[in-house]
Amino acid sequence: MTGLEDHLRGLWLPLVTPFHGGALDERSLRRLTRHYGAGAVDGFILGATSGEGMTLREAELERLVAVARDEMAASGHTMPICLGLSGADTARLKERLDETADWPIDGYLIASPYYVRPSQRGLLAHFEALADHAAWPIVLYNIPYRTAANITNQTLLRLAEHRNIVGLKDCGASREQSIALLRDRPKAFRVLTGEDANYFEALSDGADGGIVLSAHVETATFAAVHAELKRGNHDAALARWNEVAELTRLSFAEPSPAPAKYWLWRSGLIDSPEVRLPMVEVSSELAAAIDREIERRTKVAA
């Protein structure tokens, strides 16, 4: 699949990485890929924050991509895959781009360098160096409350001019900045929100879609919010959003992706809610709250 920018819209799922007994759970991964690949999802992000990518060894990450792509091929469903990469060393990230250049992916989601807090000139030089080097298109990931480095709109607009930078996952936590970027961006530069709780708001402001962890649950409803807004049905979109807004709170009531993994385990989509340290499984209090919500939604559906 080529032309990532043409597919960078709608509902993208930052797929959780299932583990069992400390290892990658390939059986559950196939089940997840088959389930969401047949639904309303427009693309997958693998090995990023929600996929606990920073805990994955290179062989595990490569296997994660290979299994997901293989399962899609077997089930006859094709959708783009972006691989999540992060790091604070530009040279090492260029090596990672070389190491993954022949993997069956369609692009990269690359976060700002964390901890080192580079200047805007440093961010510009960092991402241009990566984009010049990458074999696949890059989607930028601006999430300053994790990295301590906000990519300003001035820098983003410069980066948007690069032929190999096609979009942004926007977790900037500033609606004013996001609206200004949507107004000023080049036509082909895609912006997807990564803030689950602001999904409806961002789409209403003109974002092209969302990368939404909470959409592991009630996926079709999250997709319907986008579809109704595209058709100009604001009230219908808001009604669908109100059906799932509470899920965004539960999904992040404790460090992600533990709540989503617990829900998927309770729903039978993965065989274990296991996460890797320093993440821990959900507390008994949150587990009980999720159980109640599952029961409530089951009754409503019946």
Side-chain angles (χ1 to χ4, degrees):
M1 183 175 290
T2 57
L4 178 61
E5 62 274 16
D6 294 331
H7 301 278
L8 202 60
R9 55 169 61 89
L11 181 64
W12 280 59
L13 194 66
L15 198 69
V16 301
T17 302
F19 302 120
H20 199 227
L24 178 65
D25 180 0
E26 293 191 12
R27 184 172 70 170
S28 292
L29 175 59
R30 289 185 182 278
R31 191 182 303 125
L32 287 175
T33 306
R34 188 164 56 249
H35 175 78
Y36 293 112
V41 173
D42 295 295
F44 284 138
I45 307 291
L46 298 182
T49 310
S50 301
E52 298 174 80
M54 295 183 74
T55 73
L56 294 172
R57 306 298 180 264
E58 182 176 348
E60 290 178 316
L61 191 61
E62 185 172 13
R63 187 62 183 157
L64 175 69
V65 171
V67 170
R69 185 62 82 186
D70 179 68
E71 185 58 39
M72 278 194 274
S75 60
H77 299 112
T78 301
M79 67 176 64
I81 290 175
C82 280
L83 178 66
L85 293 180
S86 62
D89 180 348
T90 308
R92 175 59 186 136
L93 272 175
K94 288 171 70 175
E95 292 174 357
R96 296 291 290 126
L97 293 174
D98 288 338
E99 292 160 0
T100 58
D102 61 351
W103 290 14
I105 59 176
D106 300 282
Y108 299 101
L109 176 69
I110 303 183
S112 300
Y114 49 79
Y115 188 75
V116 296
R117 300 175 67 187
S119 67
Q120 294 301 308
R121 287 193 300 115
L123 288 168
L124 182 65
H126 170 77
F127 281 115
E128 286 182 335
L130 297 180
D132 287 343
H133 199 76
W136 302 102
I138 289 173
V139 179
L140 306 171
Y141 186 5
N142 189 29
I143 183 163
Y145 53 82
R146 287 186 184 267
T147 65
N150 179 45
I151 313 175
T152 66
N153 280 0
Q154 182 178 10
T155 302
L156 285 169
L157 291 172
R158 287 278 302 277
L159 290 169
E161 297 172 1
H162 197 290
R163 60 175 178 78
N164 211 28
I165 296 176
V166 297
L168 170 72
K169 179 181 179 181
D170 184 8
C171 291
S174 167
R175 189 178 187 187
E176 181 180 8
Q177 179 177 339
S178 298
I179 290 173
L181 178 65
L182 290 167
R183 180 191 65 221
D184 297 335
R185 62 176 169 158
K187 185 178 181 180
F189 186 75
R190 308 299 183 197
V191 177
L192 281 73
T193 184
E195 293 291 340
D196 290 29
N198 297 335
Y199 177 62
F200 176 79
E201 177 183 89
L203 294 179
S204 298
D205 290 337
D208 297 293
I211 300 172
V212 184
L213 169 75
S214 307
H216 278 85
V217 179
E218 303 282 356
T219 313
T221 305
F222 278 95
V225 174
H226 176 262
E228 293 291 1
L229 281 172
K230 276 196 70 175
R231 288 192 285 263
N233 299 330
H234 183 275
D235 290 346
L238 180 58
R240 301 311 302 271
W241 170 241
N242 287 334
E243 295 174 23
V244 295
E246 173 64 11
L247 293 177
T248 68
R249 186 191 67 80
L250 281 174
S251 296
F252 293 90
E254 291 180 8
S256 176
K261 280 190 158 183
Y262 179 82
W263 192 304
L264 292 171
W265 172 64
R266 289 284 286 108
S267 303
L269 278 171
I270 58 178
D271 292 339
S272 168
E274 190 176 320
V275 290
R276 284 182 170 172
L277 287 171
M279 293 298 168
V280 293
E281 293 179 18
V282 296
S283 66
S284 58
E285 293 81 7
L286 181 56
I290 292 174
D291 288 342
R292 288 192 296 271
E293 185 65 13
I294 291 174
E295 182 179 2
R296 186 188 73 80
R297 289 177 180 273
T298 301
K299 289 179 178 178
V300 170

